[in-house]
Amino acid sequence: SGTAIHVQVPNTGNNHNSTGTKTNVGLGYWPEWRVFAGKQYHKPPLQLLPVITHQPPPRPSGRKKALLIGINYFNTRARLKGCINDVRRMKQWLLRNGFFYSPSTMLVLTDDQSSSMYTPTKQNIIRGMQWLVEGASPGDSLFFHFSGHGSQEVDRTGAESDGLNETICPVDMKRAGMIPDDAIWDILVYSLPDGCRLTALMDCCHSGTGMDLPFTFDEYQSHWKVEVNPSHAKAE
């Protein structure tokens, strides 16, 4: 008797199938990156959703999943030197702290790789964020790391108090454009279920509100403050 807890293990042996992670009843399916098609991004409609409050937190599922992105922007005027190294060091830290490197649990996108499947283009980053949250269930732990350039662009919706969206810059930003905080929030935050925990580390300019979270911490006054036009979500 008792509750069955799913513990994530490397993608070897009979515990997994050929295209993703085996899950227990009630847990979502985690596909491998190489077979994850993703979908064209469309901004979700604005709406109000009911949220159940004062509930005990879900029991940890033991499942951990990570997306790591590092861009040095080689052969450009925007070149950086340490972003890929940041990702390599973060990967090793995660592996020492309960994460596993397998095709369905960890994805690394850097611009020093020969395969276009693992190049941090705008399309791959958006698809990677979709992959990260695909099959997320209460009790899961997700990790997102971006190291590269951040910027800003005009907000045409009127939602931003300063009139600007924060952005991250993919390796093909001159051709494909940047990824705004609205899209990052829509994909990584809005879509998560209650009880799923996402930890995000954004090592770039303008990253303080780079995910459009409803609260920011004022380190000078040592308290949390609510953003103008806050966007709340069900997940942690």
Side-chain angles (χ1 to χ4, degrees):
S1 61
T3 302
I5 300 299
H6 179 92
V7 178
Q8 181 64 52
V9 296
N11 193 17
T12 58
N14 296 323
N15 292 324
H16 299 20
N17 59 36
S18 61
T19 58
T21 300
K22 178 182 177 181
T23 60
N24 286 344
V25 175
L27 296 180
Y29 170 74
W30 285 2
E32 291 185 3
W33 169 246
R34 64 182 177 87
V35 298
F36 180 70
K39 55 188 176 182
Q40 186 175 358
Y41 168 71
H42 295 287
K43 186 175 179 62
L46 294 177
Q47 58 183 317
L48 296 177
L49 299 175
V51 177
I52 301 175
T53 60
H54 306 295
Q55 296 293 310
R59 192 169 182 177
S61 68
R63 304 199 309 169
K64 301 177 187 293
K65 192 176 186 182
L67 169 61
L68 312 177
I69 304 167
I71 312 177
N72 279 1
Y73 308 94
F74 294 110
N75 302 316
T76 73
R77 295 178 61 186
R79 180 170 180 174
L80 298 172
K81 295 183 178 180
C83 298
I84 294 175
N85 189 56
D86 289 343
V87 163
R88 290 172 178 165
R89 293 172 66 90
M90 181 58 68
K91 175 184 173 182
Q92 295 305 314
W93 186 89
L94 291 174
L95 294 177
R96 292 194 301 269
N97 288 273
F99 285 74
F100 291 96
Y101 185 61
S102 77
S104 58
T105 60
M106 187 176 293
L107 172 61
V108 178
L109 302 178
T110 55
D111 57 342
D112 63 341
Q113 302 192 66
S114 58
S115 172
S116 61
M117 182 180 295
Y118 297 96
T119 301
T121 61
K122 182 177 182 178
Q123 180 180 5
N124 279 350
I125 292 175
I126 289 177
R127 189 161 65 98
M129 292 191 294
Q130 293 174 343
W131 170 89
L132 180 64
V133 302
E134 179 75 13
S137 301
D140 290 349
S141 180
L142 311 181
F143 192 91
F144 174 75
H145 177 205
F146 176 84
S147 182
H149 278 302
S151 188
Q152 292 178 304
E153 64 182 15
V154 175
D155 167 41
R156 303 188 185 282
T157 68
E160 299 283 355
S161 59
D162 61 355
L164 297 171
N165 279 322
E166 283 65 51
T167 64
I168 57 175
C169 302
V171 70
D172 59 344
M173 59 181 170
K174 287 189 176 181
R175 177 183 61 81
M178 300 181 289
I179 302 174
D181 52 6
D182 290 350
I184 297 172
W185 184 87
D186 290 341
I187 300 171
L188 288 183
V189 182
Y190 176 78
S191 61
L192 292 180
D194 184 19
C196 180
R197 173 162 294 184
L198 169 68
T199 300
L201 175 59
M202 299 181 67
D203 187 1
C204 57
C205 291
H206 307 287
S207 61
T209 56
M211 295 187 74
D212 262 355
L213 298 178
F215 304 101
T216 56
F217 186 74
D218 188 329
E219 61 178 319
Y220 300 106
Q221 300 186 23
S222 297
H223 71 88
W224 293 91
K225 63 179 183 180
V226 182
E227 290 295 305
V228 178
N229 297 324
S231 298
H232 295 277
K234 294 179 289 185
E236 298 181 52

